[in-house]
Amino acid sequence: RSEEEAQEELHMQLTRRVLQAPTADRSRLVAEMVTLYPRKLDEMSPEILEVAKGKYAADVASLLAAAGEAGTEDLPGEADVLQMLLQVVFNAFEGGLYIKKAMLNHCCRPNCITFQAGERVRSDGNTVSTGKSEVVATQAIAAGTEVTISYLVPVEQSHGTRSRKWEAQHLCALAPSPWPAEMEQFNVPAEGPFDQEGAHEDLETIEDDLDALDDQLNFEQMRPAEAIELLANLPIKELLHPRHLTACRVHNLIVRCAHLLTPKKKKKEPTPEA
């Protein structure tokens, strides 16, 4: 990617690439996206559509202006560009837009998880490599049961943070939490006052810090030992129920860092035949 693309938000980058593609290629891409919500703008609720028009009006104008400057032929109208943009916004993942994966509905407590193309470690400890993204079941799924994934990664986030991120992307409210109550509860003292508003603010700050730390680990901008020290000093025990989702996330990050610090076993070289 160019430096300009690296700074461009994903929904703008993907929509721009579709819009500025040669006419035949654009028609093919639009045809592939036809199953994605919204298939038509009028299938959206009037309230959400009005919010979407206000939120993305400047983006639509920018996309059309850039396409015109690039000499793109047969440009669609504003309504069609808005629909194209919303199909990307509502259905894209961090790694891009995957038409088949986008057909799976979201659940905050899903029965499957997704993996990008590349290597992953299976539950039995063996490493598998694939050139395609995967959807892997995390439990036995009975016939007729809907297959679901979480659009919000990681799964271990408080309902408040999940709601904030969901509403920002999908422009509607998130359903109530499907997790057991204690996994969303604060550590409320048995006696004395409890500052509920302050606790929510502290938790939001912690989760924002965890997002930043996660990114730094992904891009190798922080040493695992340094991350463990930061994670160990978070006021999780004082603030949250021991089984809170965010506490689970902290524990998972510590395990991940410990795994990164563990020397990898060298693969045994095959013994040459005599």
Side-chain angles (χ1 to χ4, degrees), residues 127-141:
T127 299
V128 294
S129 181
T130 176
K132 298 181 179 179
S133 61
E134 296 180 297
V135 176
V136 180
T138 58
Q139 61 192 64
I141 302 175

Side-chain angles (χ1 to χ4, degrees), residues 185-257:
Q185 285 179 349
F186 290 104
N187 185 14
V188 181
E191 297 180 359
F194 177 68
D195 183 2
Q196 184 88 8
E197 184 177 344
H200 278 288
E201 291 176 357
D202 290 343
L203 178 56
E204 184 175 323
T205 299
I206 288 173
E207 292 190 280
D208 286 343
D209 289 344
L210 290 176
D211 285 344
L213 186 148
D214 217 342
D215 287 340
Q216 288 175 309
L217 286 173
N218 288 336
F219 292 103
E220 299 182 350
Q221 297 171 344
M222 178 180 289
R223 293 179 296 108
E226 182 184 356
I228 289 176
E229 184 176 353
L230 289 172
L231 291 165
N233 289 323
L234 290 173
I236 297 298
K237 291 182 179 179
E238 299 82 0
L239 184 65
L240 304 174
H241 188 284
R243 294 191 62 205
H244 195 284
L245 284 165
T246 305
C248 295
R249 181 182 183 185
V250 170
H251 297 154
N252 286 342
L253 280 168
I254 290 175
V255 171
R256 174 185 171 191
C257 291

Side-chain angles (χ1 to χ4, degrees), residues 136-150:
V136 180
T138 58
Q139 61 192 64
I141 302 175
T145 302
E146 182 180 14
V147 172
T148 57
I149 59 175
S150 176

